[in-house]
Amino acid sequence: GFTQVLLHGVTGSGKTEVYLQAIAPVLQRGQSALVLVPEIGLTPQLTDRFRARFGSSVCVYHSALSEGERYDTWRNLLSGTPQIVIGTRSAVFAPLPNLGLVVLDEEHDSSFKQDQPAPCYHARTVARWRAELEDCPIVLGSATPSLESWLAVKGSEEPCQNSEFRIQNSKFLSLPTRIQARPMPPIELVDMRQELRAGNSSMFSRPLRSALEALKEKGQQGILFIHRRGHSTFVSCRSCGDVVVCPHCDVSLTYHHTHAEATPLLRCHYCNYVRSLPKTCPSCDSTYFKYFGSGTQRVVQELEQQFPDLRVMRFDSDTTRAKGAHRSLLTQFAHGDADLLVGTQMLTKGIDLPQVTLVGILAADGLLHLSDYRASERTFQTLTQVAGRCGRGDEPGQVILQTYSPEHPVIQAVQRQQYEAFVDAELQQRASLNYPPYGQLILLRFSSPNAIAVQKAADRVAQSLAALQADGVEVLGPAPAPILRVARRFRWHLLLKLPPNCTAALPEVSELRSLCPSLVSLTMDVDPLNLA
């Protein structure tokens, strides 16, 4: 029967083994199982583990498959034979005639949400609906569950009575310790302000430098996490101060320079516009440029200069574009072809590398101070997940977290590895402000190549929704999007904030679209994870 199970297990506690043992009787009954993962990069490791247990009854479905592979997989699923489908969010629609179990691994991950193209949906919500329709259990697994799942399954006491947010037929299961009682890695906070006062202006603190030097001597491996790819966040002229920006978007171009012989490029991470680095400033003809910020490429270059004995491998969306690149890079690293893996948030998502004993987090503050009400939750989840990549084997792990805000409550909660204390404090804030998971947000996104038309359309829709305020709905905006122009389209936002148990009659999307001219597009996103 339908049951929603939240499996809260610390990193390395054996959640995958729980999935495997839960799926075995499902197959024996002649039913199929659906396993959803947030990233394609997770599928090779997970697939290998499942195939070692269940053989050829495991198939994979995600967007990186060719059209032919996707067609063959789709036909195979329709056959109705008992099988296990491992896939990303689109696999939630896989045609399994006799579904007996749904599993969402790393259920907290924002990759499960689709915000473009329309329709906007969250795979977790759709998976729960599907489990209800199929009358089968759904298991949500994570070391850092989303606040929505936590409240739906557990609820909490003061200051709010949350029983109305609890989902019927829900269960909470906990794995509070690692397998074989292995210790959680201690997290050492390094105050980078103190490092600068001590004369260290490098991106590597003294404790991290010592740990990296010891890595080669001990024959161990490590991971360095930074939340940006590329070399530098932006390029500025040192003479006039002009920043090189994208001609199609209101953002600076990111400097990419993979190695010494490569051509330096500037790339837009929103529309993928690429140009070569100009020899002189377009505004004043100066030849002096300054590179600000750091990304994975710059970290790799600094490592090669300061630690020439370390073999370094980069793991981000630039190095994993080719088909099979995720599996190839992780296999090479697992076989000892590199001492250090430098990567972005792709590193945080369920990768199991028992030989990793060191995790270095270079810039925790970049995540913490984003203009998003979910910034604290995302920071806690990301830092806890990446810290959990080490110490999963026989050797104990060590985490060095570099920050300019060591006293921040989120950083303190990460260091103490206290998920429940963090959740209680965060839920109190959300409840007082009517933010999800208590209230509900609906984001209306308007875009058009015409700046005047999109603003007028947003104003008309806002006026038509003004009557909702009598039912307690807050209509916020319209306002320009945080990044006004992307890919030559101007963007405006209108945000509806609904109180808990709101009974207001919302208009149909078609009604709102009728207020917009043909050159203005409108999409509606319920409980958006991205407000940019």
Side-chain angles (χ1 to χ4, degrees):
F2 169 73
T3 310
Q4 177 165 305
V5 179
L6 178 60
L7 177 63
H8 177 213
V10 298
T11 52
S13 59
K15 292 185 290 296
T16 306
E17 181 62 28
V18 173
Y19 306 151
L20 291 166
Q21 294 199 28
I23 287 171
V26 172
L27 293 180
Q28 290 171 3
R29 291 197 302 268
Q31 294 181 296
S32 296
L34 175 62
V35 181
L36 300 179
V37 295
E39 291 274 359
I40 294 171
L42 269 183
T43 52
Q45 273 200 321
L46 208 63
T47 305
D48 291 346
R49 187 133 174 227
F50 271 72
R51 282 184 174 148
R53 187 75 61 94
F54 298 114
S56 60
S57 59
V58 178
C59 62
V60 178
Y61 189 84
H62 52 66
S63 59
L65 298 177
S66 68
E67 290 293 325
E69 289 172 324
R70 205 178 307 186
Y71 176 77
D72 291 342
T73 304
W74 195 263
R75 288 286 302 272
N76 185 42
L77 299 182
L78 286 169
S79 67
T81 57
Q83 53 196 308
I84 303 165
V85 178
I86 300 176
T88 49
R89 65 172 178 249
S90 59
V92 74
F93 303 109
L96 290 165
N98 192 10
L99 188 61
L101 179 67
V102 180
V103 174
L104 260 82
D105 191 25
E106 309 294 350
E107 67 84 29
H108 65 277
D109 199 280
S110 59
S111 299
F112 282 123
K113 178 68 187 279
Q114 174 160 309
D115 50 22
Q116 61 177 354
C120 303
Y121 71 92
H122 201 299
R124 182 178 58 227
T125 306
V126 178
R128 187 174 70 242
W129 290 344
R130 185 164 185 189
E132 288 187 51
L133 289 170
E134 302 276 359
D135 198 29
C136 72
I138 176 171
V139 178
L140 310 177
S142 177
T144 52
S146 63
L147 298 189
E148 286 81 1
S149 297
W150 183 267
L151 193 65
V153 174
K154 277 208 79 176
S156 61
E157 289 75 35
E158 298 299 330
C160 304
Q161 297 300 317
N162 297 319
S163 58
E164 69 268 27
F165 300 102
R166 188 180 175 93
I167 289 180
Q168 298 299 314
N169 299 327
S170 58
K171 287 184 170 61
F172 176 77
L173 301 176
S174 177
L175 292 168
T177 58
R178 285 186 158 182
I179 56 170
Q180 299 175 352
R182 287 175 181 148
M184 296 296 293
I187 300 176
E188 177 184 354
L189 295 187
V190 178
D191 189 341
M192 295 303 285
R193 299 169 300 185
Q194 299 291 345
E195 289 292 306
L196 189 59
R197 292 189 192 111
N200 179 20
S201 58
S202 164
M203 67 171 66
F204 307 116
S205 62
R206 288 168 296 177
L208 182 56
R209 183 182 296 274
S210 300
L212 290 172
E213 289 168 350
L215 207 60
K216 190 78 172 179
E217 298 169 11
K218 295 177 182 175
Q220 297 172 346
Q221 291 181 301
I223 284 175
L224 282 190
F225 167 77
I226 187 164
H227 72 285
R228 286 195 188 98
R229 61 191 172 99
H231 182 283
S232 299
T233 315
F234 65 94
V235 178
S236 173
C237 173
R238 298 181 71 173
S239 299
C240 70
D242 261 19
V243 174
V244 187
V245 298
C246 175
H248 310 143
C249 311
D250 290 338
V251 295
S252 59
L253 293 174
T254 302
Y255 178 60
H256 284 248
H257 194 193
T258 51
H259 54 85
E261 289 76 29
T263 303
L265 295 175
L266 298 175
R267 184 186 297 275
C268 176
H269 287 179
Y270 284 84
C271 72
N272 211 30
Y273 168 82
V274 179
R275 62 162 295 177
S276 59
L277 179 70
K279 290 185 170 59
T280 60
C281 172
S283 299
C284 70
D285 286 334
S286 169
T287 57
Y288 298 103
F289 289 105
K290 174 76 173 173
Y291 308 104
F292 290 87
S294 299
T296 49
Q297 291 177 3
R298 185 170 182 180
V299 172
V300 169
Q301 287 186 6
E302 290 288 326
L303 285 167
E304 289 171 347
Q305 291 174 11
Q306 298 185 35
F307 305 93
D309 292 338
L310 283 178
R311 298 167 300 162
V312 181
M313 190 178 287
R314 188 157 58 94
F315 190 71
D316 57 25
S317 56
D318 290 329
T319 61
T320 55
R321 292 184 192 277
K323 188 172 180 179
H326 293 90
R327 178 187 292 276
S328 175
L329 284 173
L330 289 176
T331 302
Q332 290 175 44
F333 188 69
H335 289 164
D337 293 350
D339 306 306
L340 205 56
L341 194 62
V342 177
T344 54
Q345 295 187 37
M346 293 170 66
L347 288 173
T348 69
K349 303 184 181 187
I351 293 173
D352 187 19
L353 298 166
Q355 65 276 26
V356 171
T357 59
L358 171 68
V359 165
I361 300 169
L362 294 184
D365 308 273
L367 293 166
L368 196 58
H369 300 301
L370 297 176
S371 55
D372 188 342
Y373 74 95
R374 296 182 189 267
S376 293
E377 180 185 5
R378 286 180 179 159
T379 301
F380 183 89
Q381 289 168 341
T382 301
L383 298 183
T384 301
Q385 291 284 345
V386 74
R389 296 311 109 200
C390 73
R392 300 166 80 98
D394 296 329
E395 296 291 329
Q398 175 190 16
V399 181
I400 297 173
L401 193 159
Q402 299 182 171
T403 176
Y404 289 91
S405 312
E407 69 286 341
H408 195 285
V410 175
I411 300 294
Q412 290 289 318
V414 170
Q415 185 190 29
R416 293 192 293 265
Q417 304 184 47
Q418 294 178 337
Y419 173 79
E420 292 200 32
F422 166 77
V423 166
D424 289 344
E426 187 69 11
L427 283 176
Q428 286 184 32
Q429 268 196 331
R430 298 278 185 93
S432 64
L433 296 169
N434 272 347
Y435 276 127
Y438 295 99
Q440 192 171 48
L441 296 180
I442 299 176
L443 179 63
L444 304 179
R445 292 188 176 99
F446 303 84
S447 77
S448 172
N450 187 310
I452 305 300
V454 70
Q455 182 177 354
K456 287 184 175 179
D459 285 335
R460 278 196 297 273
V461 172
Q463 290 169 12
S464 73
L465 296 173
L468 294 174
Q469 296 181 15
D471 295 314
V473 177
E474 290 184 63
V475 181
L476 305 176
I483 300 173
L484 175 60
R485 191 171 57 115
V486 170
R488 298 181 181 178
R489 295 183 70 88
F490 295 89
R491 309 181 315 144
W492 279 66
H493 285 175
L494 183 63
L495 189 66
L496 305 181
K497 195 175 179 185
L498 283 62
N501 303 318
C502 179
T503 56
L506 298 174
E508 295 288 334
V509 181
S510 55
E511 288 181 47
L512 301 180
R513 285 210 177 104
S514 67
L515 300 173
C516 302
S518 58
L519 75 165
V520 176
S521 73
L522 167 63
T523 59
M524 180 181 287
D525 191 353
V526 177
D527 286 343
L529 295 187
N530 178 17
L531 296 175

